[in-house]
Coordinates of all heavy atoms in Angstrom, one line a residue:
Y204 N 35.4 -107.6 212.8 CA 35.7 -108.6 213.8 C 37.2 -108.6 214.2 O 37.5 -108.8 215.4 CB 35.4 -110.0 213.2 CG 33.9 -110.3 213.2 CD1 33.3 -111.3 212.4 CD2 33.0 -109.5 214.0 CE1 32.0 -111.6 212.3 CE2 31.6 -109.8 213.9 CZ 31.1 -110.8 213.1 OH 29.8 -111.1 213.1
T205 N 38.1 -108.3 213.3 CA 39.5 -108.1 213.7 C 39.7 -107.0 214.7 O 40.3 -107.1 215.7 CB 40.4 -107.9 212.5 OG1 40.2 -109.0 211.6 CG2 41.9 -107.8 212.9
Q206 N 39.0 -105.9 214.4 CA 39.1 -104.7 215.3 C 38.5 -105.0 216.7 O 39.1 -104.6 217.7 CB 38.4 -103.5 214.7 CG 39.2 -103.0 213.5 CD 38.5 -101.7 212.9 OE1 38.5 -100.7 213.5 NE2 38.0 -101.8 211.7
V207 N 37.4 -105.7 216.7 CA 36.7 -105.9 218.1 C 37.6 -106.8 218.9 O 37.7 -106.6 220.1 CB 35.3 -106.3 217.9 CG1 35.1 -107.7 217.5 CG2 34.5 -106.1 219.3
V208 N 38.1 -107.9 218.3 CA 38.9 -108.8 219.1 C 40.2 -108.1 219.6 O 40.6 -108.3 220.7 CB 39.3 -110.1 218.3 CG1 40.2 -111.0 219.0 CG2 38.0 -110.9 218.0
R209 N 40.9 -107.4 218.7 CA 42.1 -106.6 219.1 C 41.8 -105.6 220.2 O 42.5 -105.5 221.2 CB 42.7 -105.9 217.9 CG 43.3 -106.9 216.9 CD 43.9 -106.1 215.7 NE 45.2 -105.4 216.1 CZ 46.4 -105.8 215.6 NH1 46.5 -106.7 214.7 NH2 47.4 -105.1 216.0
R210 N 40.7 -104.9 220.1 CA 40.3 -103.9 221.1 C 40.0 -104.5 222.4 O 40.5 -104.0 223.5 CB 39.1 -103.1 220.6 CG 38.5 -102.1 221.6 CD 39.4 -100.9 221.8 NE 39.6 -100.1 220.6 CZ 40.5 -99.1 220.6 NH1 41.1 -98.7 221.6 NH2 40.6 -98.4 219.4
T211 N 39.2 -105.6 222.4 CA 38.8 -106.2 223.7 C 40.1 -106.8 224.4 O 40.2 -106.7 225.6 CB 37.7 -107.2 223.5 OG1 38.0 -108.1 222.5 CG2 36.4 -106.5 223.2
L212 N 40.9 -107.5 223.6 CA 42.2 -108.0 224.2 C 43.0 -106.9 224.8 O 43.5 -107.1 226.0 CB 43.0 -108.7 223.1 CG 42.7 -110.2 222.8 CD1 43.5 -110.7 221.7 CD2 42.9 -111.1 224.1
R213 N 43.2 -105.8 224.1 CA 44.0 -104.7 224.7 C 43.4 -104.2 226.0 O 44.1 -103.7 226.8 CB 44.1 -103.6 223.7 CG 45.2 -103.7 222.6 CD 45.7 -102.4 222.1 NE 44.6 -101.5 221.7 CZ 44.0 -101.5 220.5 NH1 44.4 -102.3 219.6 NH2 43.1 -100.6 220.2
N214 N 42.1 -104.3 226.1 CA 41.4 -103.8 227.3 C 41.3 -104.8 228.3 O 40.5 -104.6 229.3 CB 40.1 -103.2 226.9 CG 40.2 -101.8 226.3 OD1 40.5 -100.9 227.1 ND2 40.0 -101.6 225.1
G215 N 41.9 -106.0 228.1 CA 42.0 -106.9 229.2 C 40.9 -108.0 229.2 O 40.7 -108.7 230.2
T216 N 40.1 -108.1 228.1 CA 39.2 -109.2 228.0 C 39.8 -110.4 227.4 O 40.1 -110.5 226.3 CB 38.0 -108.8 227.1 OG1 37.3 -107.6 227.6 CG2 37.0 -109.9 226.9
T217 N 40.1 -111.4 228.3 CA 40.8 -112.6 227.9 C 39.8 -113.6 227.4 O 40.1 -114.5 226.6 CB 41.7 -113.2 229.0 OG1 40.9 -113.3 230.2 CG2 42.9 -112.3 229.3
T218 N 38.5 -113.5 227.9 CA 37.5 -114.4 227.4 C 36.3 -113.6 227.0 O 35.8 -112.7 227.8 CB 37.0 -115.4 228.5 OG1 38.1 -116.2 228.9 CG2 35.9 -116.3 228.1
A219 N 35.7 -113.8 225.8 CA 34.5 -113.1 225.4 C 33.5 -114.1 224.9 O 33.8 -115.1 224.2 CB 34.9 -112.1 224.3
C220 N 32.2 -113.8 225.2 CA 31.1 -114.6 224.8 C 30.4 -113.7 223.7 O 29.7 -112.8 224.1 CB 30.2 -114.9 225.9 SG 28.9 -116.1 225.5
Y221 N 30.6 -114.1 222.4 CA 30.1 -113.2 221.3 C 28.8 -113.6 220.7 O 28.6 -114.8 220.4 CB 31.2 -113.3 220.2 CG 32.5 -112.5 220.5 CD1 33.7 -113.2 220.5 CD2 32.5 -111.1 220.7 CE1 34.9 -112.6 220.8 CE2 33.7 -110.5 220.9 CZ 34.9 -111.2 220.9 OH 36.1 -110.5 221.1
F222 N 28.0 -112.7 220.4 CA 26.9 -112.8 219.4 C 27.5 -112.3 218.0 O 28.2 -111.3 218.0 CB 25.8 -111.9 219.7 CG 24.7 -112.4 220.5 CD1 25.0 -112.9 221.8 CD2 23.4 -112.6 220.1 CE1 24.0 -113.4 222.6 CE2 22.4 -113.1 220.9 CZ 22.7 -113.5 222.2
A223 N 27.4 -113.1 217.0 CA 27.8 -112.7 215.7 C 26.5 -112.2 214.9 O 25.8 -111.3 215.4 CB 28.5 -113.8 214.9
T224 N 26.1 -112.8 213.8 CA 24.9 -112.5 213.1 C 24.3 -113.8 212.6 O 24.8 -114.9 213.0 CB 25.2 -111.6 211.8 OG1 26.1 -112.4 211.0 CG2 25.9 -110.3 212.2
I225 N 23.3 -113.7 211.7 CA 22.7 -114.9 211.2 C 23.5 -115.6 210.1 O 23.2 -116.7 209.6 CB 21.2 -114.6 210.6 CG1 21.3 -113.7 209.4 CG2 20.3 -114.1 211.7 CD1 19.9 -113.5 208.8
H226 N 24.6 -115.0 209.8 CA 25.4 -115.5 208.6 C 26.5 -116.5 209.1 O 27.4 -116.1 209.9 CB 26.1 -114.3 207.9 CG 25.1 -113.2 207.6 ND1 25.0 -112.1 208.4 CD2 24.2 -113.1 206.6 CE1 24.1 -111.3 207.8 NE2 23.6 -111.9 206.8
T227 N 26.4 -117.7 208.7 CA 27.3 -118.7 209.1 C 28.8 -118.5 208.8 O 29.7 -118.6 209.7 CB 26.9 -120.1 208.5 OG1 25.6 -120.3 208.8 CG2 27.8 -121.2 209.0
D228 N 29.1 -118.1 207.6 CA 30.5 -118.0 207.2 C 31.2 -116.8 207.9 O 32.4 -117.0 208.3 CB 30.6 -117.8 205.6 CG 30.2 -119.0 204.9 OD1 30.4 -120.1 205.5 OD2 29.6 -118.9 203.8
S229 N 30.5 -115.7 208.1 CA 31.2 -114.6 208.8 C 31.3 -114.9 210.3 O 32.2 -114.5 211.0 CB 30.6 -113.3 208.5 OG 29.2 -113.2 208.9
S230 N 30.4 -115.7 210.8 CA 30.4 -116.2 212.2 C 31.6 -117.1 212.4 O 32.3 -117.0 213.4 CB 29.1 -116.8 212.7 OG 28.0 -116.0 212.5
L231 N 31.9 -118.0 211.4 CA 33.0 -118.9 211.5 C 34.3 -118.0 211.4 O 35.3 -118.3 212.1 CB 33.0 -119.9 210.3 CG 32.0 -121.0 210.4 CD1 31.8 -121.7 209.1 CD2 32.3 -122.0 211.5
L232 N 34.3 -117.0 210.6 CA 35.4 -116.1 210.5 C 35.8 -115.4 211.9 O 36.9 -115.3 212.2 CB 35.1 -115.0 209.5 CG 36.2 -114.0 209.1 CD1 37.5 -114.7 208.6 CD2 35.7 -113.0 208.1
L233 N 34.7 -115.0 212.6 CA 35.0 -114.5 214.0 C 35.7 -115.5 214.8 O 36.7 -115.1 215.6 CB 33.7 -114.1 214.6 CG 33.7 -113.6 216.1 CD1 34.7 -112.4 216.3 CD2 32.3 -113.2 216.5
G234 N 35.3 -116.8 214.8 CA 36.0 -117.8 215.5 C 37.5 -117.9 215.1 O 38.4 -118.0 216.0
H235 N 37.7 -117.8 213.8 CA 39.0 -117.9 213.3 C 39.9 -116.8 213.8 O 41.1 -117.0 214.1 CB 38.9 -117.9 211.7 CG 40.3 -117.9 211.0 ND1 41.1 -118.9 210.9 CD2 40.9 -116.8 210.4 CE1 42.2 -118.5 210.3 NE2 42.1 -117.3 209.9
I236 N 39.4 -115.6 213.7 CA 40.1 -114.4 214.2 C 40.4 -114.4 215.7 O 41.6 -114.1 216.1 CB 39.3 -113.1 213.8 CG1 39.2 -112.9 212.3 CG2 39.9 -111.9 214.5 CD1 38.2 -111.9 211.8

């Protein structure tokens, strides 16, 4: 999740609409990152 957010930001994605997975805690982590 850290890599995908960093990569998309560098490529000019200022807003992203993300699918995570069925796992609540790691989905919350994506929000945090």
Side-chain angles (χ1 to χ4, degrees):
Y204 287 161
T205 301
Q206 289 182 67
V207 73
V208 174
R209 290 180 74 114
R210 173 70 61 187
T211 51
L212 273 175
R213 276 208 309 274
N214 278 291
T216 300
T217 50
T218 300
C220 189
Y221 287 118
F222 269 62
T224 61
I225 64 177
H226 312 99
T227 303
D228 293 329
S229 58
S230 302
L231 288 165
L232 183 59
L233 173 56
H235 173 75
I236 291 166

